[in-house]
Amino acid sequence: MKTYIPTLGRVDNQMTYDNMPKSIQSNTYFVIQPKEESLFKELWPDSNILVLPDDDYGILNTRKWIVETAGNSKYLMIDDDIVFWKRNVDRKTGKKNAEKSKKLFTSEDWISMLDWAESKLDNGYTVAGSRARGMPPYTKDDMEFGRIMQVFFINGSKLHRDKLEWVLDSSEDVHFLIQVIEMGGKIVTSDKFLYECEPYHSDGGCKLSGRTSDSSLKDINTLAAMYPKIIEMQDEFVELKNEFTHQKHTLHLKKAYNPFYGRTDNKYW
C-alpha cells in the first residue's frame, strides 16, 4: 500500500515520515509544490517525491490530485505532522489495561495498522482511518461512520472519482466523507490505532495555503447548509490555539449512507 504525504512549509520537519519504519518509508511519497522541489531533493535525497502541477496549489486541489493519481489502488493519504499511539483498554470497563504503553508506535505497530486497514478495505469499506488520541475510548476497537481526519486509508476502486465534487477550501475532509457515504461507501475508524498532530493552524500547510479562522467557519457553515440533516451546527464557539475559532458541530454521517446507490435516491431517507 502506497502512502502519500501532502506537505508544505515543513521541509525540515517531517514528523509523519520520521516516525515511519524504513520499510514503509520506501513506499511513501512526498507530494510537494514545485517551489520546494530543490530543497526537498537536497534534504531528502533518498525519498520518493511527487511534484504538483503548480505552486500555491491549495489543500483541496492537492487532495483531489492525490485521489486521481492513486487511481484504483489502495493507499494511505496522511498529513505530514502525525504521530501514532496504540490504545490498550478494557472495552468492557473503558479503563486502561495494566500493560498499557505510553510509547509511540513501533515498527510492528505500523505493520499491524496497515494490515488492519488493508483488511477493512478488502472487506466492504471504502475509507478507513484513525481516531484522535484525545478522544475517550469507544466500546469496540472499530467505529463505523465516525469522523475521519488527516489519516485516510482509501480503496480507490470503490470511489466514484468522476462524481466527487471538490468545492470547499476547508472542511473538504467532511465533504469527501459525506459524498463517499452518499454513493454507497462505508467508512470505519480505528479506536486502537490513534493519531496525534500539531495544533490546528500551526505553521505549515494549512496556514500557508491561506486558511483562516473566518474562512474555515464560513466553509463548515456552507457545508451544513448543503447537508442540514447530516451536520448539526451549535451556537457555541471555542477559541483554540493560534487565534483560531472553532464552532462546535455534530456529524450524523450514517444518515447519508445509501447502500442502494445507483438504484434509488437517498436524501437521507
Side-chain angles (χ1 to χ4, degrees), residues 10 13 15-16 79-83 150 195-204 206 241-242:
R10 294 191 177 117
N13 184 25
M15 294 172 61
T16 304
D79 286 5
D80 59 7
D81 60 345
I82 301 295
V83 292
Q150 299 177 281
Y195 80 91
E196 191 171 31
C197 62
E198 293 285 281
Y200 191 70
H201 216 240
S202 297
D203 290 342
C206 287
K241 295 180 180 180
N242 306 314

Side-chain angles (χ1 to χ4, degrees), residues 12 19 40 66 94 96 138 140 193 231 235 268-269:
D12 58 349
N19 285 292
F40 248 99
I66 291 171
K96 294 177 181 177
Y138 188 54
K140 301 177 182 178
F193 305 116
I231 306 175
D235 193 20
Y268 320 118
W269 311 110

Side-chain angles (χ1 to χ4, degrees), residues 127-147:
V127 181
S130 295
R131 291 189 82 201
R133 186 183 176 212
M135 300 297 289
Y138 188 54
T139 55
K140 301 177 182 178
D141 281 352
D142 300 334
M143 173 190 292
E144 280 195 340
F145 298 107
R147 183 169 187 165

Side-chain angles (χ1 to χ4, degrees), residues 119-264:
S119 174
K120 294 299 180 184
L121 298 182
D122 283 342
N123 288 279
Y125 293 97
T126 303
V127 181
S130 295
R131 291 189 82 201
R133 186 183 176 212
M135 300 297 289
Y138 188 54
T139 55
K140 301 177 182 178
D141 281 352
D142 300 334
M143 173 190 292
E144 280 195 340
F145 298 107
R147 183 169 187 165
I148 297 173
M149 299 174 62
Q150 299 177 281
V151 181
F152 292 84
F153 297 96
I154 298 172
N155 186 340
S157 68
K158 290 181 175 292
L159 283 182
H160 298 276
R161 289 189 301 278
D162 59 327
K163 302 288 197 307
L164 287 174
E165 295 181 352
W166 303 87
V167 294
L168 295 172
D169 288 329
S170 56
S171 296
E172 83 291 341
D173 54 347
V174 180
H175 192 204
F176 172 72
L177 292 177
I178 291 174
Q179 291 182 87
V180 167
I181 296 167
E182 277 187 306
M183 291 186 276
K186 293 176 69 176
I187 69 172
V188 63
T189 310
S190 172
D191 192 62
K192 182 177 181 180
F193 305 116
L194 311 176
Y195 80 91
E196 191 171 31
C197 62
E198 293 285 281
Y200 191 70
H201 216 240
S202 297
D203 290 342
C206 287
K207 201 168 187 177
L208 291 174
S209 71
R211 284 189 181 178
T212 65
S213 183
D214 287 344
S215 68
S216 295
L217 284 172
K218 177 177 177 290
D219 282 350
I220 187 60
N221 278 279
T222 297
L223 196 59
M226 293 165 62
Y227 301 99
K229 295 182 180 180
I230 307 302
I231 306 175
E232 181 184 348
M233 301 301 297
Q234 301 171 28
D235 193 20
E236 187 174 350
F237 297 82
V238 180
E239 299 296 325
L240 304 177
K241 295 180 180 180
N242 306 314
E243 301 178 349
F244 192 88
T245 301
H246 168 74
Q247 185 173 358
K248 289 188 174 182
H249 55 275
T250 304
L251 298 180
H252 304 284
L253 292 173
K254 191 172 183 179
K255 288 184 178 180
Y257 181 51
N258 182 5
F260 309 110
Y261 178 70
R263 288 185 280 159
T264 183

Side-chain angles (χ1 to χ4, degrees), residues 47-64:
S47 65
N48 303 306
I49 295 172
L50 296 174
V51 183
L52 292 162
D54 299 296
D55 287 326
D56 305 318
Y57 209 58
I59 295 172
L60 177 73
N61 287 327
T62 299
R63 290 202 188 281
K64 178 183 179 183

Side-chain angles (χ1 to χ4, degrees), residues 78 82-86 104-105 110 113 130 151 193-195:
I78 184 171
I82 301 295
V83 292
F84 285 102
W85 303 77
K86 188 165 121 179
L104 293 175
F105 254 32
W110 266 98
M113 181 175 68
S130 295
V151 181
F193 305 116
L194 311 176
Y195 80 91

